[in-house]
Amino acid sequence: MHERSEIARLLRLEGDARIDFLDSKALAGNPLGDPATRPVVVYLPPGYDDGGSRRYPVLYVLHGYTGDAAALVSARPWETNVLQWADRLVREERMPPALIVLVDGFTRLGGSQYVDSIHNGAYATYTVRDVVGHVDANYRTISAEGGRAVLGKSSGGFGAMHLVLEHPGIFAAFASHSGDSYFRYAHFPAFATVHRALEAHDFDLGAFVSAFEAKHKRNMTEYTTMEMIAYTAAYSPKGASAFDLDLPFDRATGELRDDVFARWLAFDPAERVAGCQAELSRLRLRYLDCGRRDEYNLDIGARVIAQRIRDLGLEVRHEEFDDDHRNVGYRYAISLPALAAVLDLK
Amino acid sequence: MHERSEIARLLRLEGDARIDFLDSKALAGNPLGDPATRPVVVYLPPGYDDGGSRRYPVLYVLHGYTGDAAALVSARPWETNVLQWADRLVREERMPPALIVLVDGFTRLGGSQYVDSIHNGAYATYTVRDVVGHVDANYRTISAEGGRAVLGKSSGGFGAMHLVLEHPGIFAAFASHSGDSYFRYAHFPAFATVHRALEAHDFDLGAFVSAFEAKHKRNMTEYTTMEMIAYTAAYSPKGASAFDLDLPFDRATGELRDDVFARWLAFDPAERVAGCQAELSRLRLRYLDCGRRDEYNLDIGARVIAQRIRDLGLEVRHEEFDDDHRNVGYRYAISLPALAAVLDLK
Amino acid sequence: MHERSEIARLLRLEGDARIDFLDSKALAGNPLGDPATRPVVVYLPPGYDDGGSRRYPVLYVLHGYTGDAAALVSARPWETNVLQWADRLVREERMPPALIVLVDGFTRLGGSQYVDSIHNGAYATYTVRDVVGHVDANYRTISAEGGRAVLGKSSGGFGAMHLVLEHPGIFAAFASHSGDSYFRYAHFPAFATVHRALEAHDFDLGAFVSAFEAKHKRNMTEYTTMEMIAYTAAYSPKGASAFDLDLPFDRATGELRDDVFARWLAFDPAERVAGCQAELSRLRLRYLDCGRRDEYNLDIGARVIAQRIRDLGLEVRHEEFDDDHRNVGYRYAISLPALAAVLDLK
Amino acid sequence: MHERSEIARLLRLEGDARIDFLDSKALAGNPLGDPATRPVVVYLPPGYDDGGSRRYPVLYVLHGYTGDAAALVSARPWETNVLQWADRLVREERMPPALIVLVDGFTRLGGSQYVDSIHNGAYATYTVRDVVGHVDANYRTISAEGGRAVLGKSSGGFGAMHLVLEHPGIFAAFASHSGDSYFRYAHFPAFATVHRALEAHDFDLGAFVSAFEAKHKRNMTEYTTMEMIAYTAAYSPKGASAFDLDLPFDRATGELRDDVFARWLAFDPAERVAGCQAELSRLRLRYLDCGRRDEYNLDIGARVIAQRIRDLGLEVRHEEFDDDHRNVGYRYAISLPALAAVLDLK
C-alpha cells in the first residue's frame, strides 16, 4: 500500500498527489535551452489503486503565463488550489473520481502558450503526445478521447482551446477560464509599453531577458515586456535560435506591423473558431467564462468565441462573472465537475 | 485708457485678458442643444492699444477633452496656465508680443474635437470662421494666414492638426502637445470598458449622459465612457439628433465594428497625414511633442505622424519628454515662442 | 449701474463677483516673504446695489491646502464652484441673499492653516481683522457677529474651527467640510514619508522647497512633504525666519518627537474642543461633515469633535457621506443655506 | 538510504525537505479552534545522514502574516523561496550546512504573531518548546542555544524579536526582515479603515470573519480588517473564547483607546528593547533590515530598534534597502549565512 505523499498531506488532500519527471522527446534540444525533463503532477482520487481494475477519466490542467507545475501545486491560506478543489469536489461527491494532471509549460520567457514554435520547442506536441502518453502508460486511465478533457486559466485557457483546435481527437471537452483571445483588445496597448521598454535596450531581447532574470524584483512594465516577448516567441518566431523573433511592432515608431500581427491573429481563438467546425463539433463540452472586468478585455474575446461557435450551430457554455482576471480558482468548482460529467467513466 | 481686467489682475498678468461673448452662426441650432453664444478669451500683451496702429499675430489655443475656456483661464498655485505662460514669455522677451485666443469647444458630451459633425454642430467652421472672424474684427490683428497659428494639448492638439489639414489657408503653423492620434493604440482598450458601462444602461446613451450629469462625482469608467461617446459624436455620428450615433463596437459582444472604426480612422492624423502633402507643405512650422509615458500611447502616434511628414520630404519638429499625459503646460514655453517666431510681425 | 464682471459672466452667474486687492497689515513683512497684498473675492447676489439701503449677511469661505483665491474662482466643466453654488442657491431661493467672500490664505509652503505663526505671519489676524474689516468697510454688510459665518473644506474647515475657537465674537456659525482634525490618524503615516524625503535633502527645508518650486511637475511624495512642512510652519515654528522650524519627528530615526507633536495637538480641534465651552456655546450653528472613506481619516476626527461638543451639552450638526476627501463641493448646497439661515438678515 | 522527497525534487533542491506533522501540546484545545497538529518542514543539507554522527545548527524560519508552512514551501517561477535559497547558499559554499525549519504559526485569523495569547493559544511556547523539541528529538541537531537562530519577514521578523526577548536561552541570534515595529506609525491609519469595516458589521467580529472566509475573493480593506483583528487577538485579547477581544479603538468614534493600545505597545519591539539589556546582550548576532519605502513604515521601527540597541552598548547589524515591503526573499542570501556563521558547528 502506497503512503500518501508529503505534498498531499501538506495540502490536506484526502486523495494523493504524485510528482513524476518526464523526459520529453518533443522538447529535447529546444532552441531556448529549457529543460526537456519536466515535472508531471498527478492527482489520484481517494480509492485509487495502482493494482486495481478501475479506470478513470483524466482532466489536464494548463497553468497560465508565469506559471509552472510548482506554482499550480502551491498553496496559500484562505485559497484553494486546483488539487484542493478536485479533492474537495470528489469528496463531496460533486464530481465523479477523476485524475487531475498538471502540465508544466513554462519556458525561460515565462510560458510557451502550449504551441509548437520553431523558437521555443514543440509544446503542443509535448502536451498531447508526451504528457498524455506518460499518464496513460503509468496510471489507470481511460486512454481514449472520451476519457480526457483539458482546461486552464488565462494562457492555460488559450492552450486548452488551441489544443482542441490543433489536435482534434485527443480531448473530448475543454474549459477556458479567462482564456487569451481577441488579441486586438488584449494586446494592443501593451505593444506601446513594450516598445518603450525595449527601445531602452536597443531592442536587444537577449539583453533584456538576462537583465530581467538577474533582478531581485521586477516592475509591471518589465513583466509586460517579458510577456510580449513570450507571445512573440510563440506566435511570430523568425528562426530556430534564441531571440530570433519578429516583433509585432515597428522598431522606429512602435506602430503595428500588420504582416506580423496577422501571424498572431492566426492563433487567436476569436478569429479562428469560425473556421473550425469539424474540430469543435466533435467536442462534448465547450466551456468558456470570464470576469466582466477583465483587465485584458478577455470577456470580449469570450463573447466573440461563444457567438462564433453558436453561429456554427453548436452549443457552448458561456458564463460571466463580476470579477477581474486574478484569482479565479473558484471557477474550478464549476469546470471540473462539468468536464468530468461528459467524460467516459469506464 | 482701459483698465486691466479683474482676471488679468487675479492671474497677476502684466498684459490684459478680455472675455468676449460671441454668437456663433456655425453653432446656431446645433442638435445637441449646446449654447451658440461662446466665451472667447483674448490675451493682450503689455503695450497693446485699441487705438494704436501696431498689429499683432494671433495664437489660437484649443483646450483638451473635458476642458473649456473657463478651465483654460483657471489658475492653481505652483502651476502656470497658458495666459500666464504667454505673459511671462513676452515679459522676458522670449517671444514677440502676440495675442493669445482661447477657443471654447466644449459640448454637453465633454468636447467637440473641433470637427464639423452633423450630430454636435460645426465646430471646425465655428473655430476657423466665427472665432477667427470675431478676433480679426475686434482686435488689432494681422488678419491673414501668415499672422495665425493654432495649438493645443490632447484633443486640442488633435484639433490643431485637424484644422490645418481640413481648412488650409487659415493658419500658418500648428503645435500639437500630446495630440490624439494612432487611434488603434489610443482607443481600443477603452472600447471594452465602454461596452461594459453602456450595456449596464442598455446602450441608451441619453440615459447614460443624463445620469452622468446628475451625479456629484464620477469615476474613471464613467469619464471614459463619456469620452468615447464624445468621440463617437465627432467621428461616427449617424443622424442629426441627439444620441443618434454609430458606436464603433458591436453591442452584443463588444468587438470592433470595422466599418464604423474606419470612419474614425479617417480622422486619425497618423493615418491621414500621408495624403495631405499640399496642406502640410504650406505650413511654416509643424510642431509635435509627447511624453514617452503617455497613458493613451500618443507618443506612438506622434512618432508615426513625424515619420510620415518626413516621408513627404517636409520638416517637422518632434520632441519627446520623460513624462505622462497630465499637466504638460510647461511645454507652452517651447511652442508659443516657436510658433510666434514663424508668424508675420507686420 | 455697475456692469457684471467678466468673471461673473464667464462663470455664468446671475449675481456679480468682484476681486479686490487688500493691503494686509497683519501680513506686512511676514518672514516667509509672501505678498501682503491679497485678492479678496466678493460675490454679490442678484439685486445687490452699492447705493441701496439693504444690508446682507456674509459667509467667509476658506480654501484648503494648496488652494488660493484664484483656485476657488476656477471653474471646470460638470463641476460647480462655490460662487456658482451660492448663485444657484440664491436664484432657486434655497437660501437668502448673502455675500460670499473668498479668503486667500496661501503661502509659499502651500497654505497657512489660517493660524498666527511667528514663521508664516499672522493669518488668523489677517482673516478676522483685515479681510473682515475690508469687507465691512466696502460692502453693504451686517457688520456684526450675527451677520457673519465662516466655512471651508479640508484645511479650510480646520481654519473655520480654529477661528471660531481662537477669535470668539467674529463669526456666529461655522461649517467644516472634511476639516483637518485628529492629527494622530491624519498625519502619522505622512511623517514617515516626509522623513525619507527630507533625509534625501539632508533636512535642508529651504533646498527642498526651492527644488519643489523649480519643478514642472511634482509627485505625491513631494506634495506630502511640502504639506507637512506647511503644517510644521503653522503648528511648531521655531523662529521668525524662513525654514526655522521644529519638525515633529526625529531626524535620525524618523520617530515621533512627542514634545513637538504636543504643539501640533494644541491646534487639533478634536483635542481642544472639550476645553472651549464658552467659545462654542455662543455659536448659532456648529456644522461638521466628512466622507466615510476620507483618505486622511478625518471622518474619525469629525466624529470625535461632534461627540465632544455634545458632551458639553451643545448641539452639533454632523453628517457623513459615502465619499472620499476629493471634490466635495456639492456639500456647499447644504452648508451655505444652513449657515445663512441662522444669520441676521437685518 | 532515504530517497529525496517529491517536494525537494519539485523545488530542484540538492538537499532534501521533509514534512513532519507535530502534535503540539501548547496548542491543544486552543480557544480559536485551530489545529493542534501542525506541519513542520525541515530542510536537510546535501550530505545529511540520519544515521551519521555529524550534528548541524538549525535556523528556524517564521512566516509573515497570512503565511503558513505550505506558503513558505510554495514556489514561483523567477522567484527563490527560503528552502531554495538555503540549498543554493550551501551548494555554493556561501554558508555552512545547516538545517532550516519552517514553523507554521497560522491561525484562523491569519496569524498568531508567535505570541502566547489567551485567545489564540500559546504560539510562543509552541514554537520554542514543541517545535524546537520535535526537531531536536528527530534530527541530528546541535541541541543547545548556540546551535539555534530564528528569523523571519514582516510578522515573522516580529516573531523572531519577540521570541529572543521573551524566551532568552533558546536562540543565539535573530534576523528580522522588515519586522513589525513602531506600531504608532505602522498601525494607526489602519485603525480608521478597520473601524469603518467593522461598523458595517455592527462590530460583530465573528460575523466579519465568517463572511471573510466564505468569500471567493477579498479586497484590501477586508484583508486589513482581518489583519487588525489578528493583532488584537495577539496583543489585547479580553477572554479565552473566540472573538472576545478588546479593539484598540472606540466603537462609536473610531478614536484610539489609549488603555488598550498600551497593551499593544508592550509588545512593540521599538518600545521594549531599551528594557531588555539582559536578553539582547546574550545574543551573538542582532540583524535588522527594512526597505526604505516600506508601506507600513517599518523602516522607522528598524531604525528606532537599532538605535536603542546601540544605546545599550550592544552591536547591531542594520541594513536598509531601496525597496518596499513585498518580495524581500533575496535578503535571505544575507541573513542565512550571517546567522549560520555565528552558530556552533559542533
Side-chain angles (χ1 to χ4, degrees):
Chain A
M1 182 68 197
H2 208 90
E3 195 188 358
R4 278 164 60 252
S5 70
E6 287 165 315
I7 280 182
R9 284 180 292 144
L10 188 65
L11 300 181
R12 303 178 186 274
L13 305 180
E14 191 164 312
D16 199 5
R18 297 194 195 154
I19 304 175
D20 300 335
F21 285 84
L22 160 71
D23 294 314
S24 166
K25 283 188 189 164
L27 300 185
N30 64 78
L32 202 48
D34 282 303
T37 301
R38 294 297 179 111
V40 179
V41 179
V42 184
Y43 168 79
L44 305 171
Y48 179 90
D49 180 358
D50 284 314
S53 62
R54 180 168 178 182
R55 292 197 166 269
Y56 296 85
V58 188
L59 307 183
Y60 288 84
V61 179
L62 311 182
H63 58 76
Y65 179 72
T66 76
D68 65 5
L72 274 178
V73 168
S74 293
R76 293 276 309 158
W78 295 316
E79 305 295 333
T80 307
N81 74 23
V82 64
L83 300 182
Q84 291 169 321
W85 266 119
D87 194 65
R88 175 172 156 189
L89 292 164
V90 169
R91 207 171 59 229
E92 297 176 355
E93 299 189 351
R94 292 161 65 187
M95 67 179 273
L99 270 60
I100 309 288
V101 173
L102 311 186
V103 180
D104 188 288
F106 190 67
T107 71
R108 186 184 172 193
L109 303 177
S112 63
Q113 301 296 100
Y114 308 93
V115 308
D116 286 355
S117 156
I118 55 168
H119 179 274
N120 292 339
Y123 281 85
T125 303
Y126 149 74
T127 305
V128 301
R129 190 191 66 195
D130 297 349
V131 177
V132 170
H134 169 87
V135 172
D136 280 341
N138 290 280
Y139 294 90
R140 302 200 53 76
T141 65
I142 296 166
S143 58
E145 180 179 1
R148 297 189 204 102
V150 63
L151 73 151
K153 290 194 293 182
S154 197
S155 287
F158 167 87
M161 292 188 284
H162 179 73
L163 294 178
V164 296
L165 297 182
E166 202 70 16
H167 292 278
I170 307 293
F171 304 106
F174 79 88
S176 167
H177 300 292
S178 309
D180 296 11
S181 59
Y182 208 63
F183 292 175
R184 287 190 287 183
Y185 283 5
H187 298 320
F188 267 19
F191 289 172
T193 301
V194 175
H195 181 261
R196 294 165 196 144
L198 289 179
E199 190 177 65
H201 283 79
D202 285 326
F203 294 98
D204 181 337
L205 303 185
F208 173 84
V209 171
S210 295
F212 182 98
E213 292 170 333
K215 283 173 186 267
H216 285 137
K217 301 175 75 160
R218 299 94 186 178
N219 62 31
M220 270 306 295
T221 294
E222 291 164 340
Y223 276 113
T224 299
T225 302
M226 186 64 114
E227 188 182 0
M228 289 302 135
I229 294 173
Y231 298 162
T232 302
Y235 304 146
S236 58
K238 192 170 170 192
S241 64
F243 308 118
D244 190 14
L245 302 174
D246 277 323
L247 289 166
F249 47 78
D250 183 77
R251 294 190 178 198
T253 62
E255 72 190 296
L256 201 64
R257 282 184 60 189
D258 284 304
D259 57 331
V260 176
F261 193 59
R263 297 176 61 195
W264 288 47
L265 292 179
F267 283 95
D268 184 344
E271 309 285 343
R272 72 188 291 217
V273 284
C276 293
Q277 160 94 43
E279 295 83 352
L280 288 162
S281 62
R282 68 188 295 155
L283 298 172
R284 299 177 188 179
L285 178 66
R286 304 156 207 96
Y287 175 98
L288 294 162
D289 69 27
C290 202
R292 189 64 172 135
R293 293 181 275 113
D294 190 279
E295 294 88 336
Y296 306 97
N297 306 314
L298 303 178
D299 53 322
I300 305 294
R303 285 191 173 201
V304 173
I305 296 169
Q307 182 171 290
R308 296 281 188 284
I309 293 178
R310 289 190 182 113
D311 289 346
L312 293 172
L314 301 173
E315 286 186 0
V316 64
R317 181 164 174 191
H318 173 228
E319 305 215 356
E320 289 191 339
F321 296 85
D322 177 20
D323 200 357
D324 58 24
H325 194 71
R326 306 286 165 204
N327 299 324
V328 298
Y330 61 88
R331 298 186 205 152
Y332 288 133
I334 300 168
S335 61
L336 296 178
L339 291 169
V342 300
L343 295 185
D344 296 343
L345 294 176
K346 172 71 184 186
Chain B
M1 179 72 196
H2 208 88
E3 197 189 356
R4 278 163 62 250
S5 70
E6 286 166 317
I7 280 182
R9 283 180 293 145
L10 189 64
L11 300 181
R12 303 178 187 274
L13 304 179
E14 191 164 310
D16 200 5
R18 297 194 194 153
I19 304 175
D20 300 335
F21 285 84
L22 159 70
D23 294 314
S24 166
K25 282 188 188 164
L27 300 185
N30 65 77
L32 203 48
D34 283 302
T37 301
R38 294 298 179 111
V40 179
V41 180
V42 183
Y43 168 78
L44 304 171
Y48 179 91
D49 181 357
D50 283 316
S53 61
R54 182 170 178 179
R55 292 196 166 270
Y56 296 84
V58 188
L59 307 183
Y60 288 85
V61 179
L62 311 182
H63 58 76
Y65 179 73
T66 75
D68 65 5
L72 275 178
V73 168
S74 293
R76 293 277 307 159
W78 295 316
E79 305 294 333
T80 306
N81 74 21
V82 66
L83 300 182
Q84 292 168 319
W85 266 118
D87 194 65
R88 174 172 156 189
L89 292 164
V90 170
R91 208 170 58 231
E92 297 177 354
E93 299 191 352
R94 292 161 64 187
M95 67 179 272
L99 272 60
I100 309 290
V101 173
L102 311 185
V103 180
D104 188 288
F106 190 69
T107 71
R108 186 182 174 196
L109 304 176
S112 62
Q113 301 296 99
Y114 307 95
V115 308
D116 286 354
S117 155
I118 55 168
H119 179 274
N120 292 339
Y123 281 85
T125 303
Y126 150 74
T127 304
V128 301
R129 190 190 68 194
D130 298 349
V131 177
V132 170
H134 170 86
V135 172
D136 281 341
N138 291 280
Y139 294 89
R140 300 199 56 75
T141 64
I142 296 166
S143 59
E145 179 179 4
R148 299 188 203 101
V150 63
L151 73 154
K153 290 194 294 181
S154 196
S155 288
F158 168 86
M161 292 188 283
H162 179 73
L163 294 179
V164 296
L165 297 182
E166 202 71 16
H167 293 278
I170 306 294
F171 304 106
F174 79 87
S176 167
H177 300 292
S178 309
D180 295 12
S181 58
Y182 209 63
F183 292 175
R184 288 190 284 182
Y185 283 6
H187 297 320
F188 268 19
F191 288 172
T193 301
V194 175
H195 180 261
R196 295 165 194 144
L198 290 179
E199 190 177 66
H201 283 81
D202 286 324
F203 296 97
D204 181 338
L205 304 184
F208 173 84
V209 170
S210 296
F212 182 98
E213 292 170 332
K215 281 171 187 268
H216 285 137
K217 300 175 75 162
R218 299 94 186 177
N219 61 30
M220 269 306 294
T221 294
E222 291 163 340
Y223 276 113
T224 299
T225 303
M226 188 62 114
E227 187 182 0
M228 290 300 137
I229 294 173
Y231 297 162
T232 302
Y235 304 146
S236 57
K238 191 170 171 192
S241 64
F243 308 116
D244 190 14
L245 301 174
D246 277 324
L247 288 166
F249 48 77
D250 183 76
R251 293 189 180 200
T253 61
E255 72 189 297
L256 202 63
R257 283 184 58 189
D258 284 305
D259 57 332
V260 176
F261 193 59
R263 296 177 61 196
W264 288 47
L265 291 180
F267 283 95
D268 184 343
E271 309 285 344
R272 71 187 292 218
V273 285
C276 294
Q277 159 96 39
E279 295 82 354
L280 288 162
S281 61
R282 68 187 297 152
L283 298 173
R284 299 178 189 179
L285 178 66
R286 303 157 206 97
Y287 175 98
L288 295 162
D289 70 26
C290 202
R292 190 64 172 132
R293 292 181 276 114
D294 191 277
E295 293 89 337
Y296 306 97
N297 306 315
L298 303 178
D299 53 323
I300 306 293
R303 286 190 173 201
V304 173
I305 296 170
Q307 182 170 291
R308 297 281 189 283
I309 292 178
R310 290 191 182 112
D311 289 346
L312 293 172
L314 301 174
E315 286 186 2
V316 64
R317 182 166 171 187
H318 173 229
E319 305 213 357
E320 290 191 338
F321 296 85
D322 177 20
D323 200 356
D324 58 25
H325 195 72
R326 306 287 165 205
N327 299 324
V328 298
Y330 62 88
R331 296 187 205 152
Y332 287 133
I334 300 168
S335 61
L336 295 178
L339 292 169
V342 300
L343 294 186
D344 296 343
L345 295 175
K346 181 67 183 187
Chain C
M1 179 73 194
H2 209 88
E3 195 189 358
R4 278 163 60 251
S5 70
E6 286 165 315
I7 280 182
R9 284 180 292 144
L10 188 65
L11 300 181
R12 303 177 186 274
L13 304 179
E14 191 165 312
D16 200 5
R18 297 193 196 154
I19 304 175
D20 300 335
F21 285 84
L22 161 70
D23 293 314
S24 166
K25 282 188 190 164
L27 300 186
N30 65 77
L32 203 48
D34 282 303
T37 301
R38 294 299 181 110
V40 180
V41 180
V42 184
Y43 168 79
L44 305 171
Y48 179 90
D49 181 357
D50 282 316
S53 61
R54 181 168 180 181
R55 292 196 167 270
Y56 297 84
V58 188
L59 308 182
Y60 288 83
V61 179
L62 311 182
H63 58 76
Y65 179 72
T66 75
D68 65 5
L72 274 178
V73 168
S74 292
R76 292 277 310 158
W78 296 315
E79 305 295 333
T80 306
N81 73 23
V82 66
L83 300 183
Q84 292 169 320
W85 267 118
D87 194 65
R88 175 172 155 188
L89 293 163
V90 170
R91 209 171 58 229
E92 296 177 356
E93 298 190 353
R94 294 160 64 186
M95 67 179 272
L99 271 60
I100 309 289
V101 174
L102 311 186
V103 180
D104 187 288
F106 191 68
T107 72
R108 186 183 173 194
L109 304 177
S112 62
Q113 301 296 99
Y114 308 94
V115 309
D116 285 354
S117 155
I118 55 167
H119 179 274
N120 292 339
Y123 281 86
T125 304
Y126 149 74
T127 304
V128 301
R129 189 190 68 193
D130 298 349
V131 177
V132 170
H134 170 85
V135 172
D136 281 341
N138 289 279
Y139 294 90
R140 301 200 55 77
T141 65
I142 296 165
S143 57
E145 180 179 3
R148 296 188 206 102
V150 63
L151 72 152
K153 289 193 294 180
S154 195
S155 287
F158 168 86
M161 292 187 284
H162 179 72
L163 295 179
V164 296
L165 297 182
E166 202 71 16
H167 293 276
I170 306 292
F171 303 106
F174 79 86
S176 167
H177 300 291
S178 308
D180 295 11
S181 59
Y182 209 63
F183 292 174
R184 287 190 286 182
Y185 284 3
H187 298 320
F188 267 18
F191 289 173
T193 301
V194 175
H195 181 262
R196 294 164 195 144
L198 290 179
E199 190 177 65
H201 283 82
D202 286 324
F203 295 97
D204 182 336
L205 303 185
F208 173 83
V209 171
S210 295
F212 181 97
E213 292 171 331
K215 282 172 187 266
H216 284 137
K217 302 176 75 162
R218 298 94 186 178
N219 61 31
M220 271 305 296
T221 293
E222 291 164 339
Y223 276 113
T224 299
T225 303
M226 186 65 114
E227 187 182 359
M228 289 302 136
I229 294 173
Y231 297 162
T232 302
Y235 304 145
S236 58
K238 191 171 172 191
S241 63
F243 308 117
D244 190 15
L245 302 173
D246 277 325
L247 288 167
F249 47 78
D250 182 77
R251 293 190 179 200
T253 62
E255 72 190 294
L256 203 63
R257 282 184 58 189
D258 284 305
D259 56 332
V260 177
F261 194 60
R263 297 177 60 197
W264 288 47
L265 292 179
F267 283 95
D268 184 344
E271 309 285 344
R272 71 187 292 217
V273 285
C276 294
Q277 158 95 45
E279 295 83 351
L280 288 162
S281 62
R282 67 187 296 152
L283 299 173
R284 300 179 187 176
L285 177 67
R286 305 154 206 97
Y287 175 98
L288 295 161
D289 70 27
C290 202
R292 190 65 171 133
R293 293 180 276 115
D294 190 278
E295 293 89 336
Y296 306 97
N297 306 314
L298 303 178
D299 53 323
I300 305 294
R303 285 191 173 200
V304 172
I305 296 169
Q307 183 170 290
R308 297 281 187 284
I309 292 178
R310 289 191 182 111
D311 289 346
L312 294 172
L314 301 173
E315 285 186 4
V316 64
R317 181 165 172 189
H318 173 229
E319 306 216 354
E320 289 191 339
F321 295 85
D322 177 20
D323 201 356
D324 58 26
H325 194 70
R326 307 286 166 204
N327 299 323
V328 298
Y330 61 89
R331 297 186 204 152
Y332 288 132
I334 300 168
S335 61
L336 295 177
L339 292 169
V342 301
L343 295 186
D344 296 343
L345 294 176
K346 177 68 181 184
Chain D
M1 180 72 196
H2 208 86
E3 196 189 359
R4 279 162 61 248
S5 71
E6 286 166 315
I7 279 182
R9 284 180 291 143
L10 188 65
L11 300 180
R12 303 179 186 275
L13 305 179
E14 192 164 310
D16 199 4
R18 297 193 196 154
I19 304 175
D20 300 335
F21 285 84
L22 160 71
D23 293 314
S24 166
K25 283 187 187 164
L27 300 186
N30 64 77
L32 203 48
D34 283 301
T37 301
R38 294 298 180 111
V40 179
V41 179
V42 184
Y43 167 79
L44 305 171
Y48 179 91
D49 181 357
D50 283 316
S53 61
R54 181 169 179 180
R55 291 196 166 270
Y56 296 85
V58 188
L59 308 182
Y60 289 84
V61 179
L62 312 182
H63 57 77
Y65 179 72
T66 75
D68 65 5
L72 274 178
V73 167
S74 293
R76 292 277 310 158
W78 297 315
E79 304 295 333
T80 306
N81 74 22
V82 64
L83 301 182
Q84 292 169 321
W85 267 118
D87 194 65
R88 175 172 155 187
L89 292 164
V90 170
R91 207 172 60 231
E92 297 178 353
E93 299 189 351
R94 293 161 64 186
M95 66 179 273
L99 269 61
I100 309 290
V101 173
L102 311 186
V103 180
D104 187 288
F106 190 69
T107 72
R108 187 183 172 193
L109 305 176
S112 62
Q113 301 297 100
Y114 307 94
V115 309
D116 285 355
S117 156
I118 56 168
H119 179 274
N120 292 338
Y123 281 85
T125 304
Y126 149 75
T127 304
V128 301
R129 189 190 67 194
D130 298 348
V131 177
V132 170
H134 170 86
V135 172
D136 281 340
N138 291 279
Y139 294 90
R140 302 198 54 77
T141 64
I142 296 166
S143 58
E145 179 180 2
R148 298 187 204 102
V150 63
L151 73 152
K153 288 193 295 181
S154 196
S155 288
F158 167 86
M161 293 187 284
H162 179 74
L163 294 179
V164 296
L165 298 182
E166 203 70 18
H167 293 278
I170 306 294
F171 304 105
F174 79 88
S176 166
H177 301 291
S178 309
D180 295 12
S181 59
Y182 208 63
F183 292 174
R184 287 191 286 183
Y185 283 5
H187 297 320
F188 267 18
F191 288 173
T193 301
V194 175
H195 180 261
R196 296 165 195 144
L198 290 179
E199 190 178 65
H201 283 81
D202 286 325
F203 295 97
D204 182 337
L205 304 184
F208 173 84
V209 170
S210 296
F212 181 97
E213 292 171 331
K215 282 172 187 268
H216 285 136
K217 300 175 75 162
R218 299 94 185 176
N219 62 30
M220 271 304 297
T221 294
E222 291 164 339
Y223 276 114
T224 298
T225 303
M226 186 64 114
E227 187 182 0
M228 290 301 135
I229 295 173
Y231 297 162
T232 302
Y235 305 144
S236 58
K238 192 171 172 191
S241 64
F243 308 117
D244 190 14
L245 302 174
D246 277 325
L247 288 166
F249 47 77
D250 184 76
R251 294 190 180 200
T253 62
E255 73 190 297
L256 201 63
R257 282 185 60 188
D258 284 305
D259 57 332
V260 176
F261 193 60
R263 296 176 61 197
W264 288 47
L265 291 180
F267 283 95
D268 185 344
E271 310 284 344
R272 72 188 291 219
V273 284
C276 293
Q277 158 96 41
E279 295 83 351
L280 287 162
S281 62
R282 67 189 296 152
L283 298 173
R284 300 178 188 178
L285 177 67
R286 307 155 204 98
Y287 175 99
L288 295 162
D289 69 27
C290 202
R292 190 64 171 134
R293 293 181 275 114
D294 190 278
E295 293 88 337
Y296 306 97
N297 307 314
L298 303 178
D299 52 323
I300 305 294
R303 284 191 175 201
V304 173
I305 296 169
Q307 183 170 290
R308 297 281 188 282
I309 292 178
R310 290 192 182 112
D311 289 346
L312 294 172
L314 301 174
E315 285 185 4
V316 64
R317 181 165 172 189
H318 173 230
E319 305 215 357
E320 290 192 337
F321 295 85
D322 177 21
D323 200 357
D324 59 25
H325 194 71
R326 306 287 166 204
N327 297 324
V328 299
Y330 61 88
R331 297 185 204 153
Y332 289 133
I334 299 169
S335 62
L336 296 178
L339 292 169
V342 301
L343 295 187
D344 296 342
L345 294 176
K346 179 68 184 180

